[in-house]
């Protein structure tokens, strides 16, 4: 937690420096934004609320592949890889989308994830553990789930939602911090504003994360239902049951892409995934 707060402070300073640079560049073109006004503050909050989210989205595929050392299948080296490509292509046709790239990464944990900035330029990656420990019906259920994430546009939707949340966190933290600074001696106003702004962004950010995590859990349910629609509920249920027995619902992906994996979930306010038990129960209710 202390390390996260330290990096948050550094990020906050970097944001303020970057904003000053952007304001200077805009002024050279005759565009003047006054961050002291409500309208200017909202523009400031929106720029930085969405900027990081969209940069992450645009770089998501490259970063995800590198973070797990995934190998994109260009030409199948064996029958298993050929089957993977064919299955993903079949699912993409059902969604009327261009087939995503398919990659395999080395990990004993059965897991998979989908990422990409556009529906027709996405990627699905599966672990060697998933391929080795699941039947093909179960793997097909997993692929159906990841294809549903792509077809539902979950990556873009989550980016937009995170951008909106970030905007309001920055905006209201600034407003309350300004009120706090206005009620102290002038020589202390700058310090009070800086400390209050950072503290409020942490608090508001945690509260906003509860909303984002709730939405993330709902998208997992929708992806399960999408898989059930196109590959059948029994295959998706079997895949989730296998995940449950394999590692007790733990997700061992790097933290940067942890939310993308199919595994994980503990039914808490800050969990990106529902528990596997609840996901299975939902699917069983569809049959």
């Amino acid at each position: 937690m202390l390390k996260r707060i330290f990096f948050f402070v550094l990020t906050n300073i970097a944001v303020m420096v970057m904003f000053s640079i952007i304001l200077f560049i805009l002024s050279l073109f005759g565009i003047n934004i006054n961050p002291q006004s409500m309208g200017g503050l909202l523009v400031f909050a929106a720029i930085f609320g969405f900027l990081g989210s969209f940069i992450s989205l645009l770089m998501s595929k490259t970063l995800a592949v590198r973070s797990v050392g995934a190998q994109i299948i260009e030409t199948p080296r064996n029958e298993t890889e050929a089957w993977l490509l064919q299955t993903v292509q079949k699912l993409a046709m059902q969604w009327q989308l261009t087939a995503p790239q398919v990659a395999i990464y080395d990990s004993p944990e059965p897991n998979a994830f989908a990422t990409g900035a556009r529906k027709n330029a996405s990627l699905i990656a599966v672990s060697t553990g998933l391929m080795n420990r699941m039947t093909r019906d179960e793997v097909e259920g997993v692929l159906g789930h990841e294809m549903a994430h792509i077809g539902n546009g979950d990556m873009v939707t989550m980016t937009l939602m995170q951008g909106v949340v970030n905007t309001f966190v920055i905006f209201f933290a600034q407003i309350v911090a300004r009120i706090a600074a206005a009620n102290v001696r002038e020589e202390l106003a700058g310090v009070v504003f800086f400390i209050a702004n950072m503290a409020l962004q942490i608090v508001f950010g945690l509260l906003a994360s509860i909303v984002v995590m709730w939405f993330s859990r709902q998208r997992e349910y929708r992806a399960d239902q999408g898989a059930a629609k196109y590959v059948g509920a029994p295959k998706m249920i079997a895949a989730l049951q296998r995940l449950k027995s394999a590692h007790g619902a733990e997700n061992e992906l790097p933290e940067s892409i942890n939310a993308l994996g199919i595994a994980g979930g503990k039914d808490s306010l800050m969990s990106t995934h529902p528990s596997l038990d609840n996901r299975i129960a939902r699917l069983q209710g569809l049959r």
Side-chain angles (χ1 to χ4, degrees):
M1 178 61 71
L2 289 177
K3 184 168 71 172
R4 288 186 179 183
I5 293 174
F6 172 73
F7 281 115
F8 177 82
V9 172
L10 290 182
T11 301
N12 222 325
I13 294 172
V15 164
M16 288 186 285
V17 171
M18 182 62 68
F19 184 63
S20 298
I21 294 172
I22 290 175
L23 288 179
F24 174 73
I25 293 173
L26 290 175
S27 68
L28 296 178
F29 292 92
I31 303 172
N32 295 301
I33 298 174
N34 179 12
Q36 299 305 313
S37 69
M38 294 292 282
L41 176 57
L42 188 57
V43 171
F44 161 78
I47 289 174
F48 288 100
F50 282 92
L51 186 61
S53 294
F54 275 105
I55 290 175
S56 296
L57 176 65
L58 292 174
M59 298 178 64
S60 61
K61 188 159 65 171
T62 300
L63 292 177
V65 168
R66 289 181 179 177
S67 68
V68 297
Q71 298 294 315
I72 296 175
I73 302 173
E74 302 290 354
T75 302
R77 295 168 296 181
N78 51 53
E79 192 272 337
T80 297
E81 290 187 357
W83 176 83
L84 266 178
L85 287 180
Q86 291 169 3
T87 304
V88 170
Q89 288 167 357
K90 180 183 70 174
L91 289 167
M93 288 179 62
Q94 292 175 318
W95 283 93
Q96 298 181 335
L97 294 173
T98 301
Q101 291 178 298
V102 181
I104 296 179
Y105 64 96
D106 187 27
S107 172
E109 179 209 26
N111 213 334
F113 62 86
T115 187
R118 294 188 295 114
K119 288 184 180 182
N120 287 306
S122 299
L123 173 135
I124 291 176
V126 299
S127 70
T128 52
L130 183 132
M131 297 305 300
N132 293 333
R133 299 170 70 174
M134 284 191 171
T135 67
R136 287 199 171 177
D137 278 353
E138 292 164 352
V139 174
E140 190 176 353
V142 171
L143 295 176
H145 173 95
E146 300 306 333
M147 195 66 226
H149 275 312
I150 296 171
N152 290 336
D154 284 343
M155 282 72 80
V156 174
T157 302
M158 286 298 293
T159 298
L160 291 173
M161 184 170 192
Q162 188 66 61
V164 170
V165 165
N166 291 345
T167 297
F168 281 102
V169 167
I170 295 170
F171 181 78
F172 286 112
Q174 288 262 336
I175 292 295
V176 178
R178 288 180 184 184
I179 294 173
N183 286 280
V184 299
R185 297 197 306 271
E186 186 176 350
E187 61 270 23
L188 296 176
V191 174
V192 169
F193 173 81
F194 182 74
I195 294 175
N197 182 40
M198 287 191 294
L200 288 165
Q201 284 198 40
I202 293 173
V203 174
F204 291 166
L206 288 173
L207 293 174
S209 292
I210 293 174
V211 178
V212 175
M213 294 303 100
W214 176 85
F215 185 84
S216 179
R217 293 192 295 275
Q218 301 314 303
R219 73 176 187 145
E220 292 302 322
Y221 285 130
R222 288 195 299 272
D224 288 344
Q225 292 167 4
K229 177 180 178 181
Y230 289 110
V231 305
K235 291 181 181 180
M236 191 64 234
I237 291 171
L240 294 175
Q241 289 172 332
R242 180 73 67 179
L243 288 172
K244 182 182 175 183
S245 64
H247 46 44
E250 291 299 322
N251 190 344
E252 297 175 3
L253 285 171
E255 186 175 351
S256 59
I257 61 170
N258 190 276
L260 301 179
I262 189 172
K266 298 178 181 179
D267 285 332
S268 70
L269 289 176
M270 301 303 291
S271 175
T272 59
H273 290 56
S275 69
L276 292 172
D277 283 334
N278 280 347
R279 292 168 66 182
I280 291 169
R282 283 275 186 107
L283 288 173
Q284 288 173 334
L286 294 177
R287 293 194 298 185

